[in-house]
Amino acid sequence: MASALDTVITQPPRIAVVFPGQGSQAVGMTAELAELYPQIRDTFAEASEALGEDLWAICQNEEQLNQTQYTQPALLTASIAIWRILQSKISNKPLYLAGHSLGEYSALCAAGVISLADAVQLVHKRGQLMQEAVVGIDTAMAAVLGLEDGRVLTLCEQATEHVDDAIVGAANFNSPGQVVISGNAVGVNAVIDKVQNTGKKAIPLKVSVPSHCALMEPASQALAQTLAATKFDQANIPVIQNRHAQIETSVQSIKQALTEQLSEPVLWSKTMQKLADKHIDILIECGNGNVLSNLAKRQDQPIASYPVDKPARMDKLMEVLS
């Protein structure tokens, strides 16, 4: 079968840009780009001033970087720094933006909905609220591989109904055959056992907070108040949001989708399918790592995807676009 890289590219190419979420962070991220592009350090300086924290220094400190309240603004800043480089290098404007979980905030910032200063403060608060929501609770997440979405949902429902104190649900529908589950340890472990009984794999994930599950509802309610007080504008590039895998047009609906996103699953497979339906033929992963590029290869309709977090990768994209 032909790979996404064999896709015939139209001229001019139809481009979408996607922004990664939590888990993509790495110590020293964007350092190589910073040696060539002043936008990196300038963006980190701007974001650090707004937050009152040295985000560049945090990116060099693994312990701090992996604390949710710092991970989120650091990743968003890295993504927007790379976005600013892309804006200076790519002549044709992307047709759509999307972000995976936290990455949705990067997408909205890139689309002009939220300022960088407001965005880093917003996701910093989001990280704090997420951490506070599960204080004293033994939580977990796991990636279920090889089962259909509906089967994973059924296993989560069975665990919730039949295992004492279990809280578990689907958190991310990442690609066909890859669903991340989230909840308390009792619930997640119960589903892991059920998955293994089917002969499929369930891999526990190293996370500090169980995103996109019922345990996040208190954080979601508190986040709504912060969102209400944050200035949002209309998007200058359409953003496909996680909640319903659709483009929200009013400020109120954008904020509502962000509020619900915290305790509801990320519909990434549907987002990627929507981009395929829009005849997107180049996907640019704007942020650290290549998680979303790898997921793009596994969709029912793969799209050629290019990470740009290192100079060689940026050069590769420029070569393709030329």
Side-chain angles (χ1 to χ4, degrees):
M1 184 178 74
S3 73
L5 297 181
D6 298 322
T7 302
V8 175
I9 305 301
T10 59
Q11 292 298 334
R14 294 177 61 81
I15 294 174
V17 177
V18 293
F19 299 82
Q22 199 158 339
S24 293
Q25 71 271 15
V27 173
M29 59 185 178
T30 72
E32 291 180 50
L33 288 173
E35 295 178 7
L36 299 175
Y37 301 102
Q39 292 99 321
I40 297 291
R41 295 302 289 262
D42 290 348
T43 304
F44 269 88
E46 181 184 340
S48 296
E49 182 177 359
L51 192 61
E53 299 277 359
D54 187 342
L55 287 168
W56 187 260
I58 287 170
C59 286
Q60 319 313 314
N61 183 313
E62 185 173 10
E63 183 179 350
Q64 274 193 298
L65 181 60
N66 288 330
Q67 294 175 25
T68 299
Q69 69 268 32
Y70 294 126
T71 308
Q72 297 197 26
L75 273 171
L76 182 142
T77 302
S79 288
I80 295 304
I82 296 172
W83 168 252
R84 290 175 173 179
I85 296 171
L86 285 174
Q87 285 185 300
S88 71
K89 294 175 77 69
I90 297 177
S91 57
N92 49 324
K93 182 178 176 180
L95 299 177
Y96 301 95
L97 306 177
H100 190 286
S101 187
L102 166 69
E104 187 164 286
Y105 290 80
S106 303
L108 291 167
C109 184
V113 174
I114 326 171
S115 69
L116 176 61
D118 284 343
V120 291
Q121 293 177 59
L122 186 56
V123 299
H124 178 64
K125 181 65 173 178
R126 180 177 182 263
Q128 289 178 322
L129 292 172
M130 291 170 71
Q131 199 73 60
E132 291 167 3
V134 291
V135 169
I137 301 174
D138 190 9
T139 63
M141 294 183 75
V144 178
L145 306 178
L147 287 180
E148 293 181 353
D149 294 354
R151 182 64 177 142
V152 177
L153 288 171
T154 298
L155 294 180
C156 289
E157 289 169 2
Q158 290 174 348
T160 302
E161 290 175 6
H162 301 300
V163 178
D164 289 344
D165 302 321
I167 299 172
V168 62
N172 306 331
F173 295 98
N174 283 333
S175 65
Q178 187 190 121
V179 179
V180 172
I181 59 172
S182 179
N184 62 13
V186 171
V188 171
N189 288 335
V191 174
I192 288 175
D193 290 342
K194 291 176 180 293
V195 170
Q196 291 173 341
N197 288 338
T198 71
K200 302 299 183 181
K201 289 184 178 180
I203 303 170
L205 303 178
K206 292 182 180 179
V207 293
S208 58
V209 175
S211 305
H212 309 293
C213 71
L215 292 173
M216 287 294 107
E217 286 176 4
S220 179
Q221 294 169 15
L223 180 65
Q225 299 176 19
T226 303
L227 286 166
T230 304
K231 183 179 184 295
F232 275 37
D233 293 311
Q234 294 292 324
N236 54 45
I237 303 174
V239 177
I240 303 172
Q241 291 190 256
N242 293 176
R243 179 64 182 96
H244 301 292
Q246 66 185 28
I247 298 161
E248 306 292 353
T249 53
S250 72
V251 165
Q252 182 179 356
S253 61
I254 290 170
K255 289 184 177 183
Q256 184 64 29
L258 286 175
T259 300
E260 295 175 5
Q261 182 228 51
L262 200 52
S263 57
E264 296 290 340
V266 171
L267 306 182
W268 195 248
S269 292
K270 288 187 177 181
T271 299
M272 295 300 293
Q273 185 59 52
K274 184 175 286 288
L275 291 174
D277 292 344
K278 298 290 186 181
H279 307 293
I280 294 300
D281 45 30
I282 285 186
L283 205 63
I284 301 173
E285 182 171 1
C286 187
N288 194 60
N290 60 349
V291 170
L292 300 184
S293 296
N294 287 335
L295 288 179
K297 299 173 185 176
R298 302 185 184 125
Q299 304 300 328
D300 288 333
Q301 291 182 258
I303 303 173
S305 185
Y306 299 88
V308 289
D309 60 326
K310 298 182 185 300
R313 288 175 166 175
M314 184 73 75
D315 292 345
K316 173 64 176 177
L317 173 66
M318 294 302 109
E319 180 186 330
V320 169
L321 293 179
S322 66

